[in-house]
Amino acid sequence: MGNDIESLSHTRWRYQYHIVFAPKYRRQILYVKYKAEIWKILRTICIRQGLEIIEANTYPVHIHMLFTIPLKMSVSKFMLILKGKSSLMIFDRFASLKYKYGNRYFGWREYYVDTVERNKIAIAKYI
């Protein structure tokens, strides 16, 4: 089987998801000023959760990510982890943001997710 096929003892799969999310109130400063550090945080969380980021791209007010997740984890569970952990890690790294934006939550209340097979051309345009 190809290298892009994942497996457990009795299961083989290849799920690729395209996800788009933006900070609360589309705070551009987060992705302009702190872009490199935010990417490090997102990558760290993904690695810890067993995800593979295939491609990603940052726009001024949102992020596009193409990734695979383990079969045993749902997309919604991953997004809860990503939103919660990244908020804590970003505010720990940039303590001044806590005072500028109030509570320790700037996160992604909403997100869009799709499978790659359904929209290959549109996803390729963004990533």
Side-chain angles (χ1 to χ4, degrees):
M1 303 226 147
N3 290 338
D4 59 347
I5 303 292
E6 301 289 334
S7 65
L8 292 171
S9 59
H10 300 288
T11 309
R12 297 196 187 284
W13 77 93
R14 189 186 81 186
Y15 288 129
Q16 293 181 346
Y17 294 98
H18 171 227
I19 195 156
V20 182
F21 52 91
K24 192 173 181 183
Y25 309 123
R26 298 201 177 253
R27 293 182 173 128
Q28 291 185 12
I29 189 170
L30 295 175
Y31 295 151
V32 175
K33 188 173 182 182
Y34 305 112
K35 178 180 176 177
E37 290 299 315
I38 289 173
W39 272 118
K40 287 180 188 175
I41 289 169
L42 294 176
R43 271 192 217 103
T44 300
I45 294 167
C46 289
I47 289 168
R48 287 180 185 167
Q49 295 301 317
L51 275 81
E52 175 191 359
I53 299 175
I54 298 167
E55 288 187 56
N57 203 349
T58 305
Y59 290 84
V61 294
H62 61 280
I63 290 178
H64 287 263
M65 289 175 64
L66 179 63
F67 62 89
T68 62
I69 62 174
L71 189 60
K72 60 189 173 187
M73 181 183 292
S74 69
V75 174
S76 61
K77 180 179 178 183
F78 165 67
M79 285 307 294
L80 283 173
I81 293 167
L82 184 69
K83 290 174 358 179
K85 300 272 187 203
S86 65
S87 292
L88 293 173
M89 292 170 79
I90 289 168
F91 280 121
D92 283 345
R93 187 156 303 159
F94 306 108
S96 62
L97 291 177
K98 176 172 42 177
Y99 301 107
K100 188 171 184 175
Y101 296 121
N103 62 15
R104 296 175 66 88
Y105 178 78
F106 66 86
W108 310 293
R109 182 180 292 181
E110 299 171 352
Y111 59 91
Y112 170 80
V113 66
D114 200 352
T115 58
V116 171
E117 292 302 317
R118 191 168 160 256
N119 279 325
K120 280 184 180 182
I121 295 169
I123 292 168
K125 184 172 77 172
Y126 287 111
I127 300 178

